[in-house]
Amino acid sequence: MGEIQAQPLVADLNNDGELEVFIADMRGNLAAFNTRGEEVWERHVRSAVSQGAVAGDIDGDGQLEVVLGTASGFVYALAGSTGTDIPNWPYRARGRVQAPPTITQLMEGSGLQVVVPAFDGFLYVIDGLQGCADVADMGETSYAAVLVDDLDGDGALELLATTMSGNVYAWETGAPYHPLKTWTSQTLGPNGGVARYGYVGIYATPAARRPRDVAGQRLQVQFEVLDKRVAFADNGTLLPGGRGPYNVTIILKGVGVKEMRAGESPVVGVADSFPGPGRYTVELPCPRAQASAVVRLELTDASGLQYSDEFALSFHLSFHRLLKWAIALPLGLMTAVLAAVARGHDHGQ
């Protein structure tokens, strides 16, 4: 291949149950290889690719597509199994694309949307099914991937972009928040380049991640393991769904010996294995002292790919505030009563 500037993408692109490595170079050569170094498919797009590709089921057909931008302004969506263009793609922006695409769901339906800035100063939101786009005019160029999260806690997603002029833009959307819709860094975890919503991942349920202060000795965390990946045997037979077993670890980040009060080796998490996708509940010890912590869920599938989710909770803060009032209020009332009795006694004399 030619000069490679783009980060590789690792995923099961062709649903054979094994991982493939996708590479793009500055000459426009695209290729997918299996883990033995054998070529699965290749093609040429006649334009430089300087940023890494991402993958997602953008058209809702249950198969992964590889999405990447080029210096000629084209945004490609390739069938992960063959490398051919999916219907209604590629999309052409009016300037070169030198930022990694981001995939999320901003509009209800069976597909996902591709969000990417171009050097014409526009931010493009391209629908995976229709291949048409909504645009936002930044008037500035960007090399950076657009991030997606609920920044202000209103239950809806926001898009976050930065520009070469030094500005930071945040756009509100009408899309409801879901942990698997977020894209909080260019790479999702140690190997994450695949959109998770409706496809694969782990997330805490709304009840579990509800902001609150926790009192007691045990914390129940309910979570869901999602895996809608399919796999086909060499003879074309559909293999059972899922890529289990799934090893799940839940830890309290930011909590140590002092907060746990459990000796020199405090238990700050639990680990377990689950056979298939579904909803599960686990318990882990709570800190005994006042603490704030990030509850982090980590899942590793049979291929070694990792997925994660996290949310913040506080422990015993409200209890200690109540304890303060439980002590202070009786003392205050007693002082007031004694003062009243003293005044009455003085008036009697």
Side-chain angles (χ1 to χ4, degrees):
M1 301 188 72
E3 177 187 346
I4 298 172
Q5 295 185 13
Q7 177 176 286
L9 170 68
V10 177
D12 181 6
L13 298 177
N14 59 0
N15 288 319
D16 64 351
E18 299 182 2
L19 298 178
E20 284 76 44
V21 180
F22 172 83
I23 304 290
D25 69 18
M26 295 297 288
R27 298 177 182 173
N29 297 307
L30 315 178
F33 303 92
N34 62 27
T35 54
R36 295 176 295 279
E38 301 163 344
E39 186 179 278
V40 178
W41 54 259
E42 66 171 314
R43 67 170 292 178
H44 188 76
V45 294
R46 296 182 295 180
S47 184
V49 181
S50 61
Q51 292 280 11
V54 294
D57 180 15
I58 67 171
D59 58 1
D61 66 350
Q63 312 291 312
L64 279 184
E65 286 79 45
V66 178
V67 181
L68 67 148
T70 67
S72 61
F74 282 98
V75 181
Y76 286 89
L78 314 176
S81 56
T82 63
T84 58
D85 297 329
I86 67 171
N88 302 317
W89 288 78
Y91 178 89
R92 186 169 190 177
R94 289 177 289 179
R96 67 183 186 270
V97 176
Q98 293 190 243
T102 301
I103 301 175
T104 187
Q105 187 184 69
L106 300 177
M107 296 176 284
E108 295 296 326
S110 57
L112 302 178
Q113 284 72 51
V114 176
V115 184
V116 65
F119 267 51
D120 57 2
F122 287 93
L123 179 74
Y124 290 85
V125 180
I126 313 168
D127 184 65
L129 279 171
Q130 304 300 325
C132 55
D134 290 322
V135 297
D137 187 0
M138 293 189 295
E140 303 172 42
T141 56
S142 175
Y143 281 102
V146 176
L147 302 186
V148 185
D149 205 350
D150 179 7
L151 299 179
D152 54 7
D154 64 351
L157 293 176
E158 282 81 40
L159 306 179
L160 187 68
T162 56
T163 72
M164 294 174 64
S165 300
N167 286 318
V168 181
Y169 288 88
W171 288 275
E172 294 181 345
T173 78
Y177 168 82
H178 189 284
L180 297 189
K181 290 183 181 180
T182 63
W183 201 294
T184 55
S185 63
Q186 181 174 329
T187 302
L188 296 169
N191 51 244
V194 177
R196 302 163 298 164
Y197 184 69
Y199 192 68
V200 62
I202 184 173
Y203 65 95
T205 62
R209 67 190 312 115
R210 175 177 55 86
R212 65 194 188 278
D213 186 69
V214 179
Q217 297 186 4
R218 309 288 293 181
L219 171 67
Q220 283 194 342
V221 178
Q222 186 182 64
F223 62 91
E224 183 163 341
V225 173
L226 175 72
D227 194 349
K228 294 189 177 180
R229 295 173 293 181
V230 297
F232 295 93
D234 292 337
N235 61 4
T237 304
L238 182 67
L239 299 174
R243 306 289 173 88
Y246 303 94
N247 296 318
V248 175
T249 302
I250 303 178
I251 61 173
L252 298 178
K253 292 173 56 180
V255 176
V257 175
K258 179 181 177 181
E259 292 83 5
M260 295 302 295
R261 293 182 181 170
E264 294 300 319
S265 301
V267 177
V268 294
V270 295
D272 205 345
S273 181
F274 302 92
R279 184 164 289 194
Y280 302 97
T281 301
V282 300
E283 286 190 344
L284 63 159
C286 288
R288 302 292 180 87
Q290 288 179 299
S292 295
V294 172
V295 183
R296 181 172 175 84
L297 296 80
E298 298 178 344
L299 178 148
T300 303
D301 68 11
S303 299
L305 294 178
Q306 297 181 5
Y307 307 90
S308 64
D309 183 28
E310 58 184 32
F311 58 96
L313 292 176
S314 64
F315 296 88
H316 308 298
L317 297 183
S318 295
F319 171 76
H320 283 79
R321 283 194 290 266
L322 290 173
L323 184 63
K324 175 184 69 176
W325 284 110
I327 296 172
L329 190 59
L331 289 175
L333 290 174
M334 185 178 297
T335 302
V337 169
L338 290 175
V341 170
R343 284 198 300 269
H345 181 72
D346 290 342
H347 289 314
Q349 289 180 340

